[in-house]
Amino acid sequence: ALRDLGPMAEIGVLGLLNHQDKGIRIPAIQVLKDIGTQNSVPALQALVFGNDLSVRGPAQAALTAIIARNKK
């Protein structure tokens, strides 16, 4: 449903990146991979360079997708 809303849902999804449960953070990152805009880049970069290795790969994949989408 969030993907259907597209960038309108971005702010709400960004709030989930700080959730303690990785079972919530990783799906949120995956949604941002599909709907995220430049507004998501700083939060995703913080995850890529942060201490939690479990979210680093998904966050990098989301950043790559957002950057590729913005080049079009």
Side-chain angles (χ1 to χ4, degrees):
L2 293 171
R3 284 180 177 89
D4 291 338
L5 291 173
M8 285 182 7
E10 183 177 30
I11 291 174
V13 176
L14 281 169
L16 297 174
L17 296 182
N18 296 322
H19 200 281
Q20 296 294 2
D21 185 350
K22 292 175 191 163
I24 292 176
R25 281 189 292 167
I26 291 175
I29 293 167
Q30 292 167 337
V31 169
L32 289 174
K33 180 179 177 183
D34 296 333
I35 69 165
T37 67
Q38 283 297 115
N39 295 328
S40 295
V41 170
L44 291 168
Q45 285 176 330
L47 293 176
V48 168
F49 295 110
N51 294 329
D52 187 347
L53 298 179
S54 69
V55 298
R56 188 173 287 171
Q60 182 61 58
L63 278 173
T64 300
I66 291 168
I67 291 167
R69 206 169 29 252
N70 286 327
K71 286 185 179 181
K72 292 181 181 180

